[in-house]
Short mmCIF file of all heavy atoms in Angstrom, two decimals:
data_model
loop_
_atom_site.label_atom_id
_atom_site.label_comp_id
_atom_site.label_asym_id
_atom_site.label_seq_id
_atom_site.Cartn_x
_atom_site.Cartn_y
_atom_site.Cartn_z
N ALA A 1 -36.89 -70.31 27.85
CA ALA A 1 -36.90 -71.56 27.08
C ALA A 1 -36.01 -72.61 27.72
O ALA A 1 -36.37 -73.79 27.82
CB ALA A 1 -36.46 -71.27 25.63
N PHE A 2 -34.81 -72.19 28.15
CA PHE A 2 -33.91 -73.11 28.85
C PHE A 2 -34.57 -73.68 30.10
O PHE A 2 -34.41 -74.87 30.43
CB PHE A 2 -32.59 -72.44 29.18
CG PHE A 2 -31.75 -72.10 28.00
CD1 PHE A 2 -30.77 -71.08 28.07
CD2 PHE A 2 -31.85 -72.79 26.81
CE1 PHE A 2 -29.98 -70.79 26.99
CE2 PHE A 2 -31.05 -72.48 25.72
CZ PHE A 2 -30.13 -71.51 25.80
N HIS A 3 -35.31 -72.82 30.81
CA HIS A 3 -35.98 -73.27 32.04
C HIS A 3 -37.02 -74.34 31.70
O HIS A 3 -37.09 -75.39 32.40
CB HIS A 3 -36.66 -72.10 32.72
CG HIS A 3 -37.50 -72.51 33.87
ND1 HIS A 3 -36.99 -72.86 35.11
CD2 HIS A 3 -38.84 -72.67 33.99
CE1 HIS A 3 -37.98 -73.21 35.93
NE2 HIS A 3 -39.12 -73.09 35.27
N GLU A 4 -37.76 -74.15 30.62
CA GLU A 4 -38.81 -75.12 30.26
C GLU A 4 -38.15 -76.46 29.80
O GLU A 4 -38.62 -77.51 30.16
CB GLU A 4 -39.68 -74.57 29.17
CG GLU A 4 -40.51 -73.36 29.61
CD GLU A 4 -41.38 -73.65 30.82
OE1 GLU A 4 -41.95 -74.77 30.88
OE2 GLU A 4 -41.47 -72.80 31.70
N LEU A 5 -37.04 -76.35 29.04
CA LEU A 5 -36.37 -77.57 28.60
C LEU A 5 -35.80 -78.35 29.79
O LEU A 5 -35.93 -79.55 29.86
CB LEU A 5 -35.25 -77.22 27.63
CG LEU A 5 -35.71 -76.75 26.21
CD1 LEU A 5 -34.54 -76.13 25.47
CD2 LEU A 5 -36.30 -77.91 25.44
N ALA A 6 -35.18 -77.58 30.72
CA ALA A 6 -34.58 -78.27 31.89
C ALA A 6 -35.67 -78.87 32.78
O ALA A 6 -35.53 -80.01 33.28
CB ALA A 6 -33.78 -77.23 32.70
N SER A 7 -36.76 -78.15 32.96
CA SER A 7 -37.86 -78.69 33.82
C SER A 7 -38.47 -79.94 33.17
O SER A 7 -38.77 -80.93 33.87
CB SER A 7 -38.95 -77.63 33.98
OG SER A 7 -38.42 -76.48 34.68
N ASN A 8 -38.65 -79.89 31.87
CA ASN A 8 -39.21 -81.06 31.16
C ASN A 8 -38.28 -82.24 31.27
O ASN A 8 -38.71 -83.40 31.47
CB ASN A 8 -39.45 -80.68 29.69
CG ASN A 8 -40.09 -81.83 28.89
OD1 ASN A 8 -41.23 -82.13 29.00
ND2 ASN A 8 -39.22 -82.49 28.09
N SER A 9 -36.97 -81.98 31.14
CA SER A 9 -36.01 -83.06 31.24
C SER A 9 -36.00 -83.66 32.64
O SER A 9 -35.84 -84.88 32.81
CB SER A 9 -34.62 -82.54 30.86
OG SER A 9 -33.65 -83.56 30.95
N ALA A 10 -36.14 -82.79 33.68
CA ALA A 10 -36.14 -83.28 35.06
C ALA A 10 -37.41 -84.09 35.37
O ALA A 10 -37.35 -85.00 36.25
CB ALA A 10 -36.00 -82.10 36.00
N LYS A 11 -38.48 -83.79 34.69
CA LYS A 11 -39.74 -84.49 34.96
C LYS A 11 -39.86 -85.76 34.14
O LYS A 11 -40.25 -86.83 34.63
CB LYS A 11 -40.93 -83.61 34.65
CG LYS A 11 -41.10 -82.40 35.57
CD LYS A 11 -42.25 -81.54 35.11
CE LYS A 11 -42.40 -80.28 35.95
NZ LYS A 11 -43.49 -79.41 35.42
N PHE A 12 -39.50 -85.65 32.85
CA PHE A 12 -39.78 -86.80 31.91
C PHE A 12 -38.58 -87.28 31.14
O PHE A 12 -38.66 -88.31 30.50
CB PHE A 12 -40.86 -86.37 30.91
CG PHE A 12 -42.04 -85.66 31.50
CD1 PHE A 12 -42.23 -84.31 31.31
CD2 PHE A 12 -42.94 -86.37 32.30
CE1 PHE A 12 -43.34 -83.66 31.87
CE2 PHE A 12 -44.03 -85.71 32.87
CZ PHE A 12 -44.25 -84.36 32.67
N GLY A 13 -37.49 -86.50 31.14
CA GLY A 13 -36.36 -86.82 30.25
C GLY A 13 -35.13 -87.36 30.97
O GLY A 13 -35.22 -87.95 32.05
N ALA A 14 -33.99 -87.06 30.37
CA ALA A 14 -32.73 -87.66 30.86
C ALA A 14 -32.39 -87.25 32.29
O ALA A 14 -31.83 -88.03 33.05
CB ALA A 14 -31.60 -87.22 29.93
N LEU A 15 -32.72 -85.98 32.68
CA LEU A 15 -32.38 -85.53 34.01
C LEU A 15 -33.29 -86.13 35.07
O LEU A 15 -33.06 -85.85 36.28
CB LEU A 15 -32.42 -84.03 34.06
CG LEU A 15 -31.39 -83.27 33.15
CD1 LEU A 15 -31.50 -81.77 33.31
CD2 LEU A 15 -29.96 -83.74 33.40
N SER A 16 -34.24 -86.92 34.71
CA SER A 16 -35.12 -87.59 35.70
C SER A 16 -34.50 -88.89 36.19
O SER A 16 -35.00 -89.52 37.14
CB SER A 16 -36.50 -87.85 35.11
OG SER A 16 -36.43 -88.82 34.06
N ARG A 17 -33.40 -89.32 35.57
CA ARG A 17 -32.71 -90.53 35.94
C ARG A 17 -31.27 -90.23 36.36
O ARG A 17 -30.61 -89.40 35.70
CB ARG A 17 -32.70 -91.50 34.75
CG ARG A 17 -34.09 -91.91 34.26
CD ARG A 17 -34.72 -92.95 35.15
NE ARG A 17 -36.05 -93.34 34.66
CZ ARG A 17 -36.24 -94.31 33.79
NH1 ARG A 17 -35.23 -94.98 33.29
NH2 ARG A 17 -37.51 -94.61 33.41
N PRO A 18 -30.75 -90.90 37.39
CA PRO A 18 -29.39 -90.64 37.81
C PRO A 18 -28.36 -90.86 36.71
O PRO A 18 -27.34 -90.15 36.66
CB PRO A 18 -29.16 -91.63 38.96
CG PRO A 18 -30.54 -91.92 39.48
CD PRO A 18 -31.46 -91.88 38.25
N GLN A 19 -28.60 -91.84 35.84
CA GLN A 19 -27.64 -92.14 34.79
C GLN A 19 -27.84 -91.26 33.53
O GLN A 19 -27.11 -91.41 32.56
CB GLN A 19 -27.73 -93.62 34.38
CG GLN A 19 -28.99 -93.99 33.65
CD GLN A 19 -30.16 -94.33 34.57
OE1 GLN A 19 -30.09 -93.98 35.72
NE2 GLN A 19 -31.14 -95.04 34.06
N GLY A 20 -28.87 -90.43 33.56
CA GLY A 20 -29.17 -89.58 32.38
C GLY A 20 -28.07 -88.58 32.12
O GLY A 20 -27.39 -88.08 33.01
N ARG A 21 -27.91 -88.23 30.84
CA ARG A 21 -26.87 -87.29 30.41
C ARG A 21 -27.49 -86.19 29.53
O ARG A 21 -28.47 -86.42 28.78
CB ARG A 21 -25.80 -88.02 29.61
CG ARG A 21 -25.03 -89.09 30.39
CD ARG A 21 -24.14 -88.47 31.47
NE ARG A 21 -23.37 -89.51 32.17
CZ ARG A 21 -23.78 -90.09 33.30
NH1 ARG A 21 -24.95 -89.76 33.83
NH2 ARG A 21 -23.02 -91.00 33.88
N LEU A 22 -26.90 -85.00 29.64
CA LEU A 22 -27.30 -83.87 28.81
C LEU A 22 -26.09 -83.18 28.30
O LEU A 22 -25.16 -82.86 29.04
CB LEU A 22 -28.17 -82.86 29.60
CG LEU A 22 -28.43 -81.55 28.92
CD1 LEU A 22 -29.28 -81.73 27.63
CD2 LEU A 22 -29.16 -80.58 29.86
N GLU A 23 -26.07 -82.95 26.96
CA GLU A 23 -24.96 -82.22 26.34
C GLU A 23 -25.55 -81.06 25.56
O GLU A 23 -26.46 -81.20 24.74
CB GLU A 23 -24.18 -83.13 25.40
CG GLU A 23 -22.98 -82.42 24.72
CD GLU A 23 -22.21 -83.34 23.81
OE1 GLU A 23 -22.67 -84.49 23.57
OE2 GLU A 23 -21.17 -82.91 23.31
N VAL A 24 -25.02 -79.87 25.85
CA VAL A 24 -25.46 -78.63 25.16
C VAL A 24 -24.23 -78.06 24.49
O VAL A 24 -23.21 -77.71 25.18
CB VAL A 24 -26.11 -77.61 26.10
CG1 VAL A 24 -26.61 -76.43 25.30
CG2 VAL A 24 -27.24 -78.24 26.91
N GLN A 25 -24.30 -77.86 23.20
CA GLN A 25 -23.20 -77.24 22.43
C GLN A 25 -23.75 -76.07 21.64
O GLN A 25 -24.93 -76.07 21.22
CB GLN A 25 -22.57 -78.23 21.45
CG GLN A 25 -21.88 -79.42 22.11
CD GLN A 25 -21.19 -80.32 21.08
OE1 GLN A 25 -21.58 -80.30 19.89
NE2 GLN A 25 -20.28 -81.11 21.51
N TRP A 26 -22.95 -75.04 21.49
CA TRP A 26 -23.34 -73.92 20.64
C TRP A 26 -22.10 -73.35 19.94
O TRP A 26 -20.97 -73.49 20.39
CB TRP A 26 -24.05 -72.84 21.49
CG TRP A 26 -23.20 -72.18 22.55
CD1 TRP A 26 -22.47 -71.06 22.47
CD2 TRP A 26 -23.03 -72.70 23.90
NE1 TRP A 26 -21.82 -70.82 23.64
CE2 TRP A 26 -22.16 -71.77 24.56
CE3 TRP A 26 -23.46 -73.84 24.57
CZ2 TRP A 26 -21.76 -71.97 25.87
CZ3 TRP A 26 -23.08 -74.00 25.90
CH2 TRP A 26 -22.24 -73.08 26.53
N TRP A 27 -22.36 -72.72 18.83
CA TRP A 27 -21.29 -72.16 18.01
C TRP A 27 -21.85 -71.10 17.11
O TRP A 27 -23.07 -71.01 16.85
CB TRP A 27 -20.61 -73.27 17.19
CG TRP A 27 -21.46 -73.94 16.17
CD1 TRP A 27 -21.61 -73.62 14.83
CD2 TRP A 27 -22.38 -75.03 16.42
NE1 TRP A 27 -22.51 -74.44 14.25
CE2 TRP A 27 -22.99 -75.32 15.19
CE3 TRP A 27 -22.70 -75.77 17.55
CZ2 TRP A 27 -23.95 -76.35 15.07
CZ3 TRP A 27 -23.63 -76.79 17.41
CH2 TRP A 27 -24.25 -77.06 16.20
N ILE A 28 -20.97 -70.25 16.57
CA ILE A 28 -21.34 -69.19 15.62
C ILE A 28 -20.44 -69.36 14.39
O ILE A 28 -19.26 -69.11 14.41
CB ILE A 28 -21.12 -67.81 16.21
CG1 ILE A 28 -21.95 -67.65 17.51
CG2 ILE A 28 -21.53 -66.71 15.19
CD1 ILE A 28 -21.70 -66.31 18.21
N PRO A 29 -20.99 -69.85 13.29
CA PRO A 29 -20.20 -70.05 12.05
C PRO A 29 -19.63 -68.73 11.58
O PRO A 29 -20.24 -67.66 11.69
CB PRO A 29 -21.19 -70.64 11.05
CG PRO A 29 -22.33 -71.15 11.89
CD PRO A 29 -22.41 -70.27 13.08
N ASP A 30 -18.41 -68.81 10.99
CA ASP A 30 -17.81 -67.63 10.35
C ASP A 30 -18.65 -67.19 9.16
O ASP A 30 -18.95 -67.99 8.28
CB ASP A 30 -16.39 -67.91 9.91
CG ASP A 30 -15.47 -68.17 11.11
OD1 ASP A 30 -15.74 -67.61 12.18
OD2 ASP A 30 -14.48 -68.88 10.94
N SER A 31 -19.05 -65.95 9.16
CA SER A 31 -19.89 -65.45 8.09
C SER A 31 -19.71 -63.95 7.95
O SER A 31 -19.57 -63.26 8.97
CB SER A 31 -21.34 -65.79 8.33
OG SER A 31 -22.18 -65.18 7.34
N ALA A 32 -19.73 -63.47 6.72
CA ALA A 32 -19.61 -62.02 6.48
C ALA A 32 -20.92 -61.30 6.75
O ALA A 32 -20.99 -60.11 6.89
CB ALA A 32 -19.15 -61.75 5.06
N GLY A 33 -22.02 -62.08 6.80
CA GLY A 33 -23.33 -61.46 7.01
C GLY A 33 -23.74 -61.48 8.45
O GLY A 33 -22.95 -61.33 9.35
N GLU A 34 -25.03 -61.69 8.67
CA GLU A 34 -25.60 -61.70 10.00
C GLU A 34 -25.06 -62.87 10.81
O GLU A 34 -24.98 -63.99 10.32
CB GLU A 34 -27.12 -61.76 9.92
CG GLU A 34 -27.83 -61.65 11.26
CD GLU A 34 -29.33 -61.67 11.13
OE1 GLU A 34 -29.79 -62.38 10.18
OE2 GLU A 34 -30.04 -61.04 11.92
N GLN A 35 -24.70 -62.61 12.09
CA GLN A 35 -24.24 -63.70 12.93
C GLN A 35 -25.40 -64.54 13.41
O GLN A 35 -26.40 -64.00 13.89
CB GLN A 35 -23.49 -63.12 14.15
CG GLN A 35 -22.11 -62.54 13.84
CD GLN A 35 -21.35 -62.27 15.09
OE1 GLN A 35 -21.86 -61.68 16.03
NE2 GLN A 35 -20.08 -62.70 15.13
N ILE A 36 -25.26 -65.84 13.25
CA ILE A 36 -26.31 -66.79 13.68
C ILE A 36 -25.72 -67.71 14.73
O ILE A 36 -24.71 -68.36 14.52
CB ILE A 36 -26.83 -67.63 12.51
CG1 ILE A 36 -27.30 -66.73 11.34
CG2 ILE A 36 -27.96 -68.53 12.97
CD1 ILE A 36 -28.53 -65.91 11.70
N LEU A 37 -26.37 -67.74 15.90
CA LEU A 37 -25.99 -68.65 16.97
C LEU A 37 -26.69 -69.99 16.78
O LEU A 37 -27.90 -70.05 16.67
CB LEU A 37 -26.36 -68.12 18.33
CG LEU A 37 -26.24 -69.04 19.52
CD1 LEU A 37 -24.78 -69.35 19.85
CD2 LEU A 37 -26.96 -68.46 20.75
N HIS A 38 -25.93 -71.06 16.67
CA HIS A 38 -26.48 -72.42 16.55
C HIS A 38 -26.29 -73.13 17.89
O HIS A 38 -25.20 -73.19 18.44
CB HIS A 38 -25.79 -73.18 15.44
CG HIS A 38 -26.06 -72.66 14.08
ND1 HIS A 38 -27.06 -73.15 13.24
CD2 HIS A 38 -25.50 -71.65 13.39
CE1 HIS A 38 -27.09 -72.48 12.15
NE2 HIS A 38 -26.15 -71.56 12.18
N LEU A 39 -27.41 -73.69 18.40
CA LEU A 39 -27.36 -74.40 19.69
C LEU A 39 -27.97 -75.79 19.51
O LEU A 39 -29.02 -75.94 18.86
CB LEU A 39 -28.13 -73.60 20.76
CG LEU A 39 -28.11 -74.20 22.18
CD1 LEU A 39 -27.88 -73.11 23.21
CD2 LEU A 39 -29.42 -74.92 22.48
N HIS A 40 -27.35 -76.78 20.14
CA HIS A 40 -27.75 -78.18 20.02
C HIS A 40 -27.90 -78.72 21.44
O HIS A 40 -26.92 -78.82 22.19
CB HIS A 40 -26.75 -78.95 19.20
CG HIS A 40 -27.19 -80.38 18.94
ND1 HIS A 40 -26.85 -81.44 19.75
CD2 HIS A 40 -27.91 -80.89 17.93
CE1 HIS A 40 -27.34 -82.57 19.26
NE2 HIS A 40 -28.00 -82.27 18.16
N TRP A 41 -29.10 -79.15 21.83
CA TRP A 41 -29.43 -79.73 23.12
C TRP A 41 -29.75 -81.19 22.93
O TRP A 41 -30.68 -81.54 22.21
CB TRP A 41 -30.61 -78.95 23.71
CG TRP A 41 -31.26 -79.46 24.96
CD1 TRP A 41 -31.91 -80.66 25.16
CD2 TRP A 41 -31.33 -78.77 26.22
NE1 TRP A 41 -32.36 -80.77 26.46
CE2 TRP A 41 -32.02 -79.59 27.13
CE3 TRP A 41 -30.90 -77.52 26.65
CZ2 TRP A 41 -32.30 -79.22 28.46
CZ3 TRP A 41 -31.14 -77.17 27.97
CH2 TRP A 41 -31.85 -77.99 28.85
N GLN A 42 -28.93 -82.07 23.52
CA GLN A 42 -29.10 -83.50 23.30
C GLN A 42 -29.14 -84.27 24.63
O GLN A 42 -28.24 -84.17 25.46
CB GLN A 42 -27.91 -84.06 22.49
CG GLN A 42 -27.99 -85.56 22.26
CD GLN A 42 -29.16 -85.99 21.38
OE1 GLN A 42 -29.19 -85.65 20.21
NE2 GLN A 42 -30.09 -86.76 21.93
N GLU A 43 -30.25 -84.96 24.86
CA GLU A 43 -30.42 -85.77 26.08
C GLU A 43 -30.15 -87.26 25.72
O GLU A 43 -30.50 -87.73 24.63
CB GLU A 43 -31.80 -85.60 26.64
CG GLU A 43 -32.10 -84.16 27.04
CD GLU A 43 -33.49 -84.01 27.66
OE1 GLU A 43 -34.03 -85.01 28.22
OE2 GLU A 43 -34.03 -82.86 27.61
N ARG A 44 -29.57 -87.96 26.68
CA ARG A 44 -29.24 -89.37 26.48
C ARG A 44 -29.40 -90.14 27.77
O ARG A 44 -29.37 -89.60 28.87
CB ARG A 44 -27.78 -89.57 26.01
CG ARG A 44 -27.50 -89.01 24.59
CD ARG A 44 -26.08 -89.40 24.17
NE ARG A 44 -25.81 -88.97 22.77
CZ ARG A 44 -25.29 -87.78 22.48
NH1 ARG A 44 -25.03 -86.91 23.43
NH2 ARG A 44 -25.09 -87.47 21.24
N ASP A 45 -29.59 -91.46 27.64
CA ASP A 45 -29.60 -92.40 28.77
C ASP A 45 -30.76 -92.14 29.78
O ASP A 45 -30.64 -92.45 30.95
CB ASP A 45 -28.26 -92.41 29.53
CG ASP A 45 -27.11 -92.80 28.63
OD1 ASP A 45 -27.35 -93.57 27.69
OD2 ASP A 45 -25.99 -92.37 28.87
#
């Protein structure tokens, strides 16, 4: 999935432009139950 997102960005998105930016953040909230990984992929410029 990361490969497809990166390829798409390089062809049509932020990574296709020199000034383009990509920020990827992820975190796991504190929880007594099942651990859930949250990931946020944001393209700009």
